[in-house]
Amino acid sequence: MVDRLLKDDAIQEKGERARMASFIGAMAIADLVKTTLGPKGMDKILQSTGRGRSVTVTNDGATILKSLHIDNPAAKVLVDISKVQDDEVGDGTTSVVVLAGELLREAEKLVNMKIHPMTIIAGFRMAAECARNALLLKAMDNKEDSDKFRSDLMNIAMTTLSSKILSQDKEYFADLAVDAVLRLKGSTNLEAIQILKKPGGSLKDSFLDEGFILDKKIGLGQPKRIENAKILVANTAMDTDKVKIYGARVRVDSMAKVAEIEAAEKQKMRKKVQKIIGHGINCFINRQLIYNFPEELFADAGILAIEHADFEGIERLALVTGGDIASTFDNPESVKLGHCKVIEEIMIGEDRLIHFSGVQMGQACTIVLRGASEHVLDEAERSLHDALCVLSQTVNDTRVLHGGGWPEMVMAKEVDELARKTPGKKSHAIEAFSRALQAIPTIIADNAGLDSADLISQLRAEHHKEQSTAGIDVISGGVGDMKELGISESFKVKQAVLLSATEAVEMILRVDEIVTCAPRRREDRM
């Protein structure tokens, strides 16, 4: 009797049931984010059950899926691919889940026709390879012509933003994003682009500032403006050096002794401040707090001292001004100071901030977002971050495709051709792959409330002509020319969507048994 192999509460699902469970879970996830796809996609409100019941309003696939707590193992695979898509290329997080869901929907029909999962996987593999080659042939590359390339980038940014909250002012924000990314000169390190969110005003009031803005006020009695600043960025305790040993007590026999101890503490602090001033700086930025006494000393020496610069801010500051973060000040010659041309105080809305301009790293800049409420600003930041990610990837890999369901139709057409040439059961799988690819334009049309069946058949007919650039024009509600409309997408994003979706589906298809292990029992501690 091999019945008692697993513990009592363990659940084991085999064969059909296991496959059923994974298909259903994955399709449910795809259906959940399906409605956020495309320019007319809707948003979701996510409310946490934790303290404060924080609310997120978002249309970003990865954000939605990250916030869900999911039990189904196959669904978790889809959540993971959307996270990776978000980290890797920034956009296409919804598309990748939807495509995987559609592929599984097709695979389910094939499995019911008694086609072996391995045959389906082999077919999908061939189809994905064929689809990728079709994209490679059609990709355009304008990296030689900088004006054309900039307009490509603008189009990509506008296409990315058109499905997000910023779609009303997409030209304006696309311009901001392209400027910010082109300043990076090909690095994909988005650390140098700081995004500051300030409630108030409207989204149109957002602007790009060529410098660095620190969300702090300038202390009392200190210079409000410094030119040719030499900055020391530090992470050190500037409160009086108390007796730091835990539980230490000092017994004294008169008040005079207390005064002596205090004087010694002050003297110690004064020495430290003099060491810092000895670096020949005129701006001191510390991550920890600075007490009144040292602040007074700095003010007397005409040095601007900023305390509590937030941690991300201070790392970025060191990066931007080209200095090191110091914590000991004994040998001033080995510390690299940061430099910038002007430090001054500026106002944004109601808040006073410190503005560093003419910084060493010319690549740095700050995007200040304004908006009606925190929720709007959070979503605007996510949208802008997506656009920045896609653009920085495109600057490195300059190939561009048209958007609006055009790449999917191009791939579907080529994959269909392949299915006709392939003998055997694999051809069913290849055909299914082409149907799944067409599902993306179908869903874009459905979300816009258009007649998708009619539109997709028109599109298919268009694509059988040579060199067609037809795609779905959601605004006019028909088939439009993507080249004229300037709807573009990055090749890298599409390729990542295609390959990750296929691999995820392959992984889910290989499953024939799910074993859920028994929960650990808590012993009764009586």
Side-chain angles (χ1 to χ4, degrees):
M1 295 293 284
V2 206
D3 284 351
R4 299 298 312 275
L5 177 65
L6 300 170
K7 274 193 179 169
D8 274 352
D9 293 347
I11 309 164
Q12 189 179 20
E13 292 183 358
K14 284 195 169 143
E16 281 296 290
R17 294 212 32 198
R19 202 164 283 128
M20 202 65 204
S22 39
F23 282 162
I24 288 172
M27 287 191 283
I29 287 286
D31 289 342
L32 178 75
V33 291
K34 196 152 99 172
T35 50
T36 67
L37 193 68
K40 299 274 182 181
M42 302 308 249
D43 290 13
K44 309 255 182 254
I45 290 187
L46 309 167
Q47 186 175 17
S48 79
T49 49
R51 279 217 322 275
R53 299 241 160 197
S54 61
V55 170
T56 319
V57 183
T58 180
N59 144 323
D60 179 42
T63 313
I64 296 172
L65 295 181
K66 252 197 306 232
S67 322
L68 300 178
H69 292 291
I70 292 172
D71 209 18
N72 186 303
K76 281 190 178 145
V77 174
L78 290 198
V79 175
D80 276 355
I81 56 171
S82 88
K83 269 190 202 156
V84 169
Q85 181 78 8
D86 197 30
D87 299 341
E88 187 61 31
V89 284
D91 195 25
T93 48
T94 312
S95 320
V96 74
V97 177
V98 170
L99 180 59
E102 289 302 328
L103 282 171
L104 283 171
R105 186 160 297 166
E106 293 295 337
E108 185 187 20
K109 293 176 197 161
L110 295 175
V111 171
N112 292 342
M113 285 163 54
K114 298 282 183 282
I115 295 178
H116 194 279
M118 282 306 161
T119 317
I120 301 175
I121 288 175
F124 279 1
R125 272 270 164 97
M126 287 167 65
E129 193 50 44
C130 164
R132 187 166 163 263
N133 292 339
L135 278 191
L136 276 171
L137 290 175
K138 297 272 185 175
M140 297 160 291
D141 198 342
N142 290 332
K143 69 163 172 274
E144 272 65 46
D145 182 351
S146 61
D147 292 346
K148 253 190 173 167
F149 184 52
R150 193 193 151 87
S151 80
D152 273 356
L153 286 180
M154 278 293 291
N155 286 341
I156 288 178
M158 289 196 314
T159 307
T160 300
L161 292 173
S162 64
S163 63
K164 310 264 193 291
I165 192 170
L166 301 175
S167 58
Q168 301 310 314
D169 315 314
K170 63 183 174 190
E171 281 98 10
Y172 183 69
F173 280 102
D175 208 35
L176 280 190
V178 172
D179 279 347
V181 167
L182 286 179
R183 293 180 68 110
L184 291 178
K185 304 189 183 57
S187 91
T188 50
N189 180 15
L190 296 178
E191 285 287 303
I193 301 177
Q194 181 196 18
I195 299 183
L196 260 189
K197 298 180 291 196
K198 287 278 160 212
S202 71
L203 283 170
K204 259 279 165 61
D205 300 337
S206 310
F207 60 91
L208 176 81
D209 197 290
E210 307 189 352
F212 187 82
I213 298 178
L214 192 65
D215 199 350
K216 287 277 164 267
K217 293 188 181 68
I218 291 184
L220 289 173
Q222 295 176 349
K224 295 278 186 230
R225 178 186 167 92
I226 292 182
E227 296 188 3
N228 291 335
K230 296 190 185 67
I231 306 166
L232 177 63
V233 186
N235 182 8
T236 178
M238 295 297 289
D239 36 11
T240 38
D241 283 333
K242 303 181 195 63
V243 182
K244 288 273 172 69
I245 306 160
Y246 185 61
R249 281 150 95 190
V250 183
R251 286 229 171 109
V252 285
D253 44 14
S254 72
M255 274 314 281
K257 292 272 172 62
V258 178
E260 275 175 32
I261 293 176
E262 281 180 353
E265 277 187 347
K266 270 196 157 171
Q267 193 49 39
K268 205 171 163 192
M269 196 72 232
R270 187 173 269 128
K271 269 191 187 151
K272 187 167 186 180
V273 171
Q274 265 146 9
K275 268 186 200 164
I276 291 173
I277 296 173
H279 285 66
I281 57 171
N282 50 14
C283 173
F284 174 68
I285 299 178
N286 192 16
R287 203 204 136 210
Q288 302 177 26
L289 94 182
I290 302 176
Y291 264 20
N292 299 8
F293 178 61
E295 192 163 35
E296 217 172 281
L297 295 178
F298 282 128
D300 292 345
I303 290 177
L304 167 60
I306 303 169
E307 60 175 4
H308 275 315
D310 58 289
F311 198 64
E312 270 188 357
I314 199 164
E315 297 224 324
R316 199 182 275 135
L317 238 176
L319 182 90
V320 166
T321 54
D324 290 341
I325 298 180
S327 42
T328 55
F329 310 101
D330 292 330
N331 32 359
E333 60 286 337
S334 66
V335 174
K336 209 169 127 200
L337 296 180
H339 294 282
C340 82
K341 290 210 178 87
V342 184
I343 299 181
E344 59 192 344
E345 193 170 54
I346 57 168
M347 295 277 292
I348 295 180
E350 309 288 289
D351 299 347
R352 305 246 264 314
L353 306 146
I354 305 173
H355 180 235
F356 297 75
S357 55
V359 285
Q360 279 248 312
M361 184 170 160
Q363 310 172 349
C365 58
T366 301
I367 296 177
V368 179
L369 288 178
R370 308 295 312 275
S373 72
E374 288 289 340
H375 297 147
V376 174
L377 284 176
D378 288 344
E379 178 61 0
E381 183 190 20
R382 276 191 290 271
S383 317
L384 201 59
H385 184 257
D386 276 8
L388 291 172
C389 282
V390 175
L391 289 175
S392 66
Q393 296 288 347
T394 314
V395 170
N396 280 352
D397 183 344
T398 50
R399 288 169 294 184
V400 179
L401 301 161
H402 296 303
W406 176 84
E408 282 80 12
M409 295 308 287
V410 168
M411 295 192 280
K413 180 186 161 196
E414 290 300 316
V415 173
D416 252 349
E417 301 276 318
L418 178 72
R420 298 213 182 97
K421 296 176 200 154
T422 313
K425 282 187 178 175
K426 274 189 210 158
S427 62
H428 290 296
I430 298 175
E431 211 173 321
F433 196 91
S434 129
R435 279 200 300 275
L437 282 170
Q438 286 172 27
I440 288 192
T442 311
I443 291 168
I444 293 178
D446 279 342
N447 286 346
L450 306 172
D451 180 359
S452 56
D454 179 41
L455 267 178
I456 300 305
S457 48
Q458 282 182 28
L459 255 187
R460 211 165 39 224
E462 281 292 318
H463 272 268
H464 273 287
K465 300 175 188 159
E466 280 304 302
Q467 296 301 328
S468 160
T469 52
I472 291 179
D473 178 4
V474 179
I475 312 303
S476 73
V479 171
D481 186 347
M482 295 295 118
K483 197 170 181 181
E484 279 170 26
L485 292 169
I487 298 179
S488 308
E489 296 194 51
S490 163
F491 170 78
K492 195 157 181 183
V493 174
K494 277 291 163 214
Q495 174 178 306
V497 166
L498 179 74
L499 301 181
S500 345
T502 317
E503 281 171 16
V505 168
E506 191 173 315
M507 198 162 143
I508 294 173
L509 269 178
R510 283 173 185 270
V511 174
D512 76 329
E513 186 166 346
I514 301 174
V515 181
T516 317
C517 63
R520 292 229 311 267
R521 290 239 176 82
R522 291 207 176 93
E523 288 86 23
D524 296 336
R525 296 196 182 86
M526 295 303 282

